[in-house]
Amino acid sequence: MEEKVTNLLLVDDDDVDVMTVQRALQKNNITNRLYVAANGLEALAMLRDNDKAPIVPPTRRLILLDLNMPKMGGIEFLRELRADSELGKIPVIVLTTSNEAKDKVDAYRLNVAGYIVKPVTFSKFVEVMAAVNKYWTLNEMP
């Protein structure tokens, strides 16, 4: 079976959470390229600027999105992303500390592929990243 490489864009302003995702990917031997943006504005710039952005089609792309960030938060980013004819179909998994029902409803209304509350322990975080990787490896996305 051919291995599918997916470029991951982590949109999160918390350096500790970014390091945790990086460590969890390493622990699971996930070698997909990880790009990091500190907020929604930075992420949109990375996705839109074809001269600078290495995460352009035809590569498989997946966005891991925190909701609570400065400048442009996750929900606002999702609205912008979904309104963009070229970027609107990129799958997004919300990976956040927010367990608020309103955030979940807002995210799913904007067609997220999943909503995961960040686990407290590193071992659980490793399990979550393994599950996300397994799903997207099997998924037939363009």
Side-chain angles (χ1 to χ4, degrees), residues 67-102:
L67 293 184
N68 303 312
M69 295 175 291
K71 296 184 183 175
M72 178 186 272
I75 297 298
E76 192 180 352
F77 167 79
L78 273 170
R79 285 191 189 106
E80 281 281 322
L81 187 76
R82 295 301 182 227
D84 187 305
S85 62
E86 290 188 29
L87 304 177
K89 301 288 188 221
I90 299 174
V92 177
I93 294 178
V94 172
L95 186 61
T96 186
T97 56
S98 174
N99 202 12
E100 296 293 318
K102 180 186 182 331

mmCIF file of all heavy atoms in Angstrom, residues 67-102:
data_model
loop_
_atom_site.group_PDB
_atom_site.id
_atom_site.type_symbol
_atom_site.label_atom_id
_atom_site.label_comp_id
_atom_site.label_asym_id
_atom_site.label_seq_id
_atom_site.Cartn_x
_atom_site.Cartn_y
_atom_site.Cartn_z
ATOM 1 N N LEU A 67 -8.638 27.133 18.910
ATOM 2 C CA LEU A 67 -9.668 28.165 18.761
ATOM 3 C C LEU A 67 -9.285 29.488 19.400
ATOM 4 O O LEU A 67 -9.611 30.547 18.876
ATOM 5 C CB LEU A 67 -11.001 27.685 19.357
ATOM 6 C CG LEU A 67 -11.680 26.537 18.636
ATOM 7 C CD1 LEU A 67 -13.029 26.242 19.269
ATOM 8 C CD2 LEU A 67 -11.820 26.793 17.146
ATOM 9 N N ASN A 68 -8.618 29.426 20.542
ATOM 10 C CA ASN A 68 -8.327 30.648 21.303
ATOM 11 C C ASN A 68 -6.941 31.171 20.978
ATOM 12 O O ASN A 68 -5.951 30.697 21.519
ATOM 13 C CB ASN A 68 -8.455 30.362 22.807
ATOM 14 C CG ASN A 68 -9.827 29.819 23.150
ATOM 15 O OD1 ASN A 68 -10.831 30.367 22.730
ATOM 16 N ND2 ASN A 68 -9.864 28.730 23.889
ATOM 17 N N MET A 69 -6.903 32.163 20.066
ATOM 18 C CA MET A 69 -5.630 32.749 19.643
ATOM 19 C C MET A 69 -5.799 34.247 19.454
ATOM 20 O O MET A 69 -6.901 34.721 19.201
ATOM 21 C CB MET A 69 -5.187 32.139 18.303
ATOM 22 C CG MET A 69 -4.878 30.671 18.356
ATOM 23 S SD MET A 69 -4.501 30.039 16.716
ATOM 24 C CE MET A 69 -6.091 30.140 15.918
ATOM 25 N N PRO A 70 -4.697 34.993 19.547
ATOM 26 C CA PRO A 70 -4.757 36.442 19.307
ATOM 27 C C PRO A 70 -4.871 36.747 17.813
ATOM 28 O O PRO A 70 -4.666 35.859 16.982
ATOM 29 C CB PRO A 70 -3.419 36.943 19.858
ATOM 30 C CG PRO A 70 -2.500 35.774 19.677
ATOM 31 C CD PRO A 70 -3.356 34.546 19.901
ATOM 32 N N LYS A 71 -5.168 37.974 17.479
ATOM 33 C CA LYS A 71 -5.255 38.506 16.106
ATOM 34 C C LYS A 71 -6.420 37.913 15.329
ATOM 35 O O LYS A 71 -7.294 38.630 14.904
ATOM 36 C CB LYS A 71 -3.954 38.359 15.335
ATOM 37 C CG LYS A 71 -2.818 39.155 15.920
ATOM 38 C CD LYS A 71 -1.574 39.046 15.074
ATOM 39 C CE LYS A 71 -0.430 39.805 15.739
ATOM 40 N NZ LYS A 71 0.822 39.645 15.031
ATOM 41 N N MET A 72 -6.417 36.609 15.094
ATOM 42 C CA MET A 72 -7.539 35.937 14.442
ATOM 43 C C MET A 72 -7.696 34.565 15.077
ATOM 44 O O MET A 72 -6.843 33.699 14.925
ATOM 45 C CB MET A 72 -7.313 35.794 12.934
ATOM 46 C CG MET A 72 -8.449 35.050 12.235
ATOM 47 S SD MET A 72 -8.147 34.700 10.484
ATOM 48 C CE MET A 72 -8.774 36.211 9.763
ATOM 49 N N GLY A 73 -8.792 34.388 15.787
ATOM 50 C CA GLY A 73 -9.060 33.126 16.463
ATOM 51 C C GLY A 73 -9.503 32.041 15.493
ATOM 52 O O GLY A 73 -9.666 32.269 14.286
ATOM 53 N N GLY A 74 -9.722 30.857 16.028
ATOM 54 C CA GLY A 74 -10.042 29.696 15.219
ATOM 55 C C GLY A 74 -11.341 29.782 14.447
ATOM 56 O O GLY A 74 -11.392 29.418 13.269
ATOM 57 N N ILE A 75 -12.413 30.237 15.079
ATOM 58 C CA ILE A 75 -13.699 30.318 14.397
ATOM 59 C C ILE A 75 -13.638 31.350 13.267
ATOM 60 O O ILE A 75 -14.121 31.100 12.154
ATOM 61 C CB ILE A 75 -14.842 30.635 15.385
ATOM 62 C CG1 ILE A 75 -14.999 29.495 16.424
ATOM 63 C CG2 ILE A 75 -16.151 30.883 14.653
ATOM 64 C CD1 ILE A 75 -15.359 28.128 15.847
ATOM 65 N N GLU A 76 -13.026 32.484 13.530
ATOM 66 C CA GLU A 76 -12.871 33.512 12.496
ATOM 67 C C GLU A 76 -12.029 32.969 11.332
ATOM 68 O O GLU A 76 -12.345 33.197 10.153
ATOM 69 C CB GLU A 76 -12.221 34.760 13.098
ATOM 70 C CG GLU A 76 -12.262 35.972 12.202
ATOM 71 C CD GLU A 76 -11.612 37.203 12.829
ATOM 72 O OE1 GLU A 76 -11.256 37.173 14.038
ATOM 73 O OE2 GLU A 76 -11.439 38.183 12.095
ATOM 74 N N PHE A 77 -10.962 32.244 11.654
ATOM 75 C CA PHE A 77 -10.132 31.618 10.627
ATOM 76 C C PHE A 77 -10.967 30.650 9.787
ATOM 77 O O PHE A 77 -10.876 30.634 8.554
ATOM 78 C CB PHE A 77 -8.954 30.879 11.274
ATOM 79 C CG PHE A 77 -8.225 29.965 10.324
ATOM 80 C CD1 PHE A 77 -7.307 30.470 9.420
ATOM 81 C CD2 PHE A 77 -8.460 28.594 10.341
ATOM 82 C CE1 PHE A 77 -6.635 29.628 8.538
ATOM 83 C CE2 PHE A 77 -7.795 27.747 9.472
ATOM 84 C CZ PHE A 77 -6.885 28.266 8.564
ATOM 85 N N LEU A 78 -11.782 29.840 10.454
ATOM 86 C CA LEU A 78 -12.619 28.879 9.735
ATOM 87 C C LEU A 78 -13.574 29.582 8.769
ATOM 88 O O LEU A 78 -13.771 29.121 7.649
ATOM 89 C CB LEU A 78 -13.433 28.041 10.727
ATOM 90 C CG LEU A 78 -12.758 26.799 11.276
ATOM 91 C CD1 LEU A 78 -13.573 26.206 12.407
ATOM 92 C CD2 LEU A 78 -12.540 25.770 10.172
ATOM 93 N N ARG A 79 -14.159 30.697 9.212
ATOM 94 C CA ARG A 79 -15.064 31.454 8.332
ATOM 95 C C ARG A 79 -14.323 31.926 7.080
ATOM 96 O O ARG A 79 -14.833 31.809 5.967
ATOM 97 C CB ARG A 79 -15.654 32.650 9.075
ATOM 98 C CG ARG A 79 -16.734 32.265 10.054
ATOM 99 C CD ARG A 79 -17.491 33.489 10.569
ATOM 100 N NE ARG A 79 -18.360 33.080 11.655
ATOM 101 C CZ ARG A 79 -18.137 33.332 12.938
ATOM 102 N NH1 ARG A 79 -17.101 34.061 13.306
ATOM 103 N NH2 ARG A 79 -18.974 32.903 13.861
ATOM 104 N N GLU A 80 -13.123 32.471 7.277
ATOM 105 C CA GLU A 80 -12.306 32.939 6.148
ATOM 106 C C GLU A 80 -11.924 31.782 5.233
ATOM 107 O O GLU A 80 -11.984 31.891 4.014
ATOM 108 C CB GLU A 80 -11.033 33.614 6.649
ATOM 109 C CG GLU A 80 -11.220 35.015 7.133
ATOM 110 C CD GLU A 80 -11.299 36.020 5.990
ATOM 111 O OE1 GLU A 80 -10.578 35.884 4.981
ATOM 112 O OE2 GLU A 80 -12.112 36.938 6.119
ATOM 113 N N LEU A 81 -11.503 30.688 5.832
ATOM 114 C CA LEU A 81 -11.071 29.526 5.069
ATOM 115 C C LEU A 81 -12.215 28.985 4.218
ATOM 116 O O LEU A 81 -12.051 28.734 3.019
ATOM 117 C CB LEU A 81 -10.555 28.437 6.022
ATOM 118 C CG LEU A 81 -9.907 27.228 5.360
ATOM 119 C CD1 LEU A 81 -8.503 27.573 4.875
ATOM 120 C CD2 LEU A 81 -9.855 26.066 6.346
ATOM 121 N N ARG A 82 -13.379 28.807 4.818
ATOM 122 C CA ARG A 82 -14.524 28.226 4.110
ATOM 123 C C ARG A 82 -15.058 29.157 3.024
ATOM 124 O O ARG A 82 -15.647 28.704 2.052
ATOM 125 C CB ARG A 82 -15.642 27.860 5.093
ATOM 126 C CG ARG A 82 -15.248 26.756 6.066
ATOM 127 C CD ARG A 82 -14.853 25.484 5.345
ATOM 128 N NE ARG A 82 -14.520 24.410 6.265
ATOM 129 C CZ ARG A 82 -13.447 23.644 6.155
ATOM 130 N NH1 ARG A 82 -12.590 23.837 5.173
ATOM 131 N NH2 ARG A 82 -13.213 22.687 7.003
ATOM 132 N N ALA A 83 -14.845 30.460 3.161
ATOM 133 C CA ALA A 83 -15.300 31.426 2.163
ATOM 134 C C ALA A 83 -14.354 31.497 0.964
ATOM 135 O O ALA A 83 -14.705 32.066 -0.072
ATOM 136 C CB ALA A 83 -15.441 32.810 2.797
ATOM 137 N N ASP A 84 -13.175 30.913 1.086
ATOM 138 C CA ASP A 84 -12.162 30.957 0.034
ATOM 139 C C ASP A 84 -12.371 29.770 -0.911
ATOM 140 O O ASP A 84 -12.289 28.614 -0.491
ATOM 141 C CB ASP A 84 -10.769 30.904 0.670
ATOM 142 C CG ASP A 84 -9.650 31.106 -0.320
ATOM 143 O OD1 ASP A 84 -9.594 30.361 -1.319
ATOM 144 O OD2 ASP A 84 -8.819 32.007 -0.084
ATOM 145 N N SER A 85 -12.613 30.061 -2.185
ATOM 146 C CA SER A 85 -12.924 28.988 -3.140
ATOM 147 C C SER A 85 -11.776 27.989 -3.311
ATOM 148 O O SER A 85 -12.009 26.819 -3.595
ATOM 149 C CB SER A 85 -13.317 29.579 -4.494
ATOM 150 O OG SER A 85 -12.237 30.325 -5.028
ATOM 151 N N GLU A 86 -10.546 28.428 -3.135
ATOM 152 C CA GLU A 86 -9.415 27.520 -3.308
ATOM 153 C C GLU A 86 -9.044 26.766 -2.035
ATOM 154 O O GLU A 86 -8.532 25.656 -2.086
ATOM 155 C CB GLU A 86 -8.198 28.291 -3.812
ATOM 156 C CG GLU A 86 -8.375 28.765 -5.245
ATOM 157 C CD GLU A 86 -7.102 29.363 -5.807
ATOM 158 O OE1 GLU A 86 -6.007 28.958 -5.379
ATOM 159 O OE2 GLU A 86 -7.222 30.236 -6.672
ATOM 160 N N LEU A 87 -9.280 27.378 -0.898
ATOM 161 C CA LEU A 87 -8.871 26.769 0.374
ATOM 162 C C LEU A 87 -10.018 26.121 1.142
ATOM 163 O O LEU A 87 -9.785 25.368 2.078
ATOM 164 C CB LEU A 87 -8.223 27.832 1.273
ATOM 165 C CG LEU A 87 -7.030 28.585 0.702
ATOM 166 C CD1 LEU A 87 -6.563 29.650 1.681
ATOM 167 C CD2 LEU A 87 -5.903 27.637 0.343
ATOM 168 N N GLY A 88 -11.232 26.419 0.738
ATOM 169 C CA GLY A 88 -12.406 26.030 1.511
ATOM 170 C C GLY A 88 -12.604 24.555 1.745
ATOM 171 O O GLY A 88 -13.299 24.158 2.676
ATOM 172 N N LYS A 89 -11.993 23.729 0.925
ATOM 173 C CA LYS A 89 -12.186 22.276 1.053
ATOM 174 C C LYS A 89 -11.122 21.583 1.906
ATOM 175 O O LYS A 89 -11.184 20.384 2.121
ATOM 176 C CB LYS A 89 -12.192 21.624 -0.336
ATOM 177 C CG LYS A 89 -13.274 22.150 -1.247
ATOM 178 C CD LYS A 89 -14.623 21.678 -0.817
ATOM 179 C CE LYS A 89 -15.660 22.068 -1.866
ATOM 180 N NZ LYS A 89 -16.878 22.530 -1.293
ATOM 181 N N ILE A 90 -10.134 22.342 2.387
ATOM 182 C CA ILE A 90 -9.087 21.725 3.211
ATOM 183 C C ILE A 90 -9.722 21.220 4.508
ATOM 184 O O ILE A 90 -10.406 21.967 5.207
ATOM 185 C CB ILE A 90 -7.958 22.717 3.543
ATOM 186 C CG1 ILE A 90 -7.266 23.208 2.271
ATOM 187 C CG2 ILE A 90 -6.941 22.062 4.487
ATOM 188 C CD1 ILE A 90 -6.246 24.308 2.519
ATOM 189 N N PRO A 91 -9.507 19.960 4.848
ATOM 190 C CA PRO A 91 -10.067 19.438 6.094
ATOM 191 C C PRO A 91 -9.400 20.069 7.320
ATOM 192 O O PRO A 91 -8.193 20.326 7.319
ATOM 193 C CB PRO A 91 -9.800 17.937 6.030
ATOM 194 C CG PRO A 91 -8.816 17.739 4.940
ATOM 195 C CD PRO A 91 -8.808 18.947 4.078
ATOM 196 N N VAL A 92 -10.225 20.307 8.329
ATOM 197 C CA VAL A 92 -9.762 20.937 9.566
ATOM 198 C C VAL A 92 -10.232 20.100 10.746
ATOM 199 O O VAL A 92 -11.400 19.719 10.826
ATOM 200 C CB VAL A 92 -10.332 22.372 9.704
ATOM 201 C CG1 VAL A 92 -9.909 22.994 11.032
ATOM 202 C CG2 VAL A 92 -9.911 23.245 8.531
ATOM 203 N N ILE A 93 -9.301 19.838 11.639
ATOM 204 C CA ILE A 93 -9.645 19.222 12.925
ATOM 205 C C ILE A 93 -9.341 20.254 14.000
ATOM 206 O O ILE A 93 -8.230 20.768 14.085
ATOM 207 C CB ILE A 93 -8.835 17.937 13.189
ATOM 208 C CG1 ILE A 93 -9.215 16.868 12.173
ATOM 209 C CG2 ILE A 93 -9.071 17.433 14.613
ATOM 210 C CD1 ILE A 93 -8.436 15.580 12.314
ATOM 211 N N VAL A 94 -10.349 20.564 14.790
ATOM 212 C CA VAL A 94 -10.152 21.485 15.905
ATOM 213 C C VAL A 94 -9.475 20.706 17.023
ATOM 214 O O VAL A 94 -9.904 19.611 17.393
ATOM 215 C CB VAL A 94 -11.495 22.087 16.373
ATOM 216 C CG1 VAL A 94 -11.313 22.890 17.658
ATOM 217 C CG2 VAL A 94 -12.095 22.961 15.275
ATOM 218 N N LEU A 95 -8.388 21.264 17.531
ATOM 219 C CA LEU A 95 -7.622 20.675 18.626
ATOM 220 C C LEU A 95 -7.440 21.793 19.645
ATOM 221 O O LEU A 95 -6.577 22.649 19.490
ATOM 222 C CB LEU A 95 -6.276 20.168 18.102
ATOM 223 C CG LEU A 95 -5.373 19.392 19.045
ATOM 224 C CD1 LEU A 95 -6.066 18.122 19.533
ATOM 225 C CD2 LEU A 95 -4.072 19.040 18.350
ATOM 226 N N THR A 96 -8.291 21.809 20.657
ATOM 227 C CA THR A 96 -8.391 22.973 21.533
ATOM 228 C C THR A 96 -8.637 22.583 22.982
ATOM 229 O O THR A 96 -8.981 21.435 23.265
ATOM 230 C CB THR A 96 -9.532 23.895 21.028
ATOM 231 O OG1 THR A 96 -9.561 25.097 21.783
ATOM 232 C CG2 THR A 96 -10.891 23.211 21.125
ATOM 233 N N THR A 97 -8.464 23.536 23.870
ATOM 234 C CA THR A 97 -8.797 23.313 25.277
ATOM 235 C C THR A 97 -10.267 23.613 25.549
ATOM 236 O O THR A 97 -10.780 23.264 26.604
ATOM 237 C CB THR A 97 -7.932 24.209 26.195
ATOM 238 O OG1 THR A 97 -8.109 25.563 25.809
ATOM 239 C CG2 THR A 97 -6.471 23.810 26.132
ATOM 240 N N SER A 98 -10.947 24.246 24.602
ATOM 241 C CA SER A 98 -12.337 24.648 24.823
ATOM 242 C C SER A 98 -13.288 23.462 24.736
ATOM 243 O O SER A 98 -13.359 22.776 23.723
ATOM 244 C CB SER A 98 -12.766 25.704 23.792
ATOM 245 O OG SER A 98 -14.149 25.976 23.950
ATOM 246 N N ASN A 99 -14.024 23.275 25.801
ATOM 247 C CA ASN A 99 -15.046 22.239 25.852
ATOM 248 C C ASN A 99 -16.431 22.883 25.816
ATOM 249 O O ASN A 99 -17.416 22.266 26.192
ATOM 250 C CB ASN A 99 -14.858 21.394 27.113
ATOM 251 C CG ASN A 99 -15.504 20.031 26.987
ATOM 252 O OD1 ASN A 99 -15.901 19.611 25.903
ATOM 253 N ND2 ASN A 99 -15.640 19.334 28.106
ATOM 254 N N GLU A 100 -16.487 24.144 25.368
ATOM 255 C CA GLU A 100 -17.740 24.897 25.327
ATOM 256 C C GLU A 100 -18.642 24.393 24.206
ATOM 257 O O GLU A 100 -18.193 24.238 23.060
ATOM 258 C CB GLU A 100 -17.461 26.388 25.103
ATOM 259 C CG GLU A 100 -16.687 27.049 26.224
ATOM 260 C CD GLU A 100 -17.481 27.111 27.516
ATOM 261 O OE1 GLU A 100 -18.696 27.412 27.466
ATOM 262 O OE2 GLU A 100 -16.886 26.849 28.581
ATOM 263 N N ALA A 101 -19.916 24.177 24.517
ATOM 264 C CA ALA A 101 -20.867 23.698 23.516
ATOM 265 C C ALA A 101 -20.972 24.664 22.339
ATOM 266 O O ALA A 101 -21.043 24.235 21.182
ATOM 267 C CB ALA A 101 -22.240 23.500 24.162
ATOM 268 N N LYS A 102 -20.957 25.970 22.605
ATOM 269 C CA LYS A 102 -21.066 26.958 21.533
ATOM 270 C C LYS A 102 -19.905 26.834 20.554
ATOM 271 O O LYS A 102 -20.099 26.907 19.337
ATOM 272 C CB LYS A 102 -21.119 28.374 22.101
ATOM 273 C CG LYS A 102 -21.245 29.450 21.020
ATOM 274 C CD LYS A 102 -21.151 30.853 21.582
ATOM 275 C CE LYS A 102 -21.312 31.951 20.567
ATOM 276 N NZ LYS A 102 -20.923 31.714 19.208
#
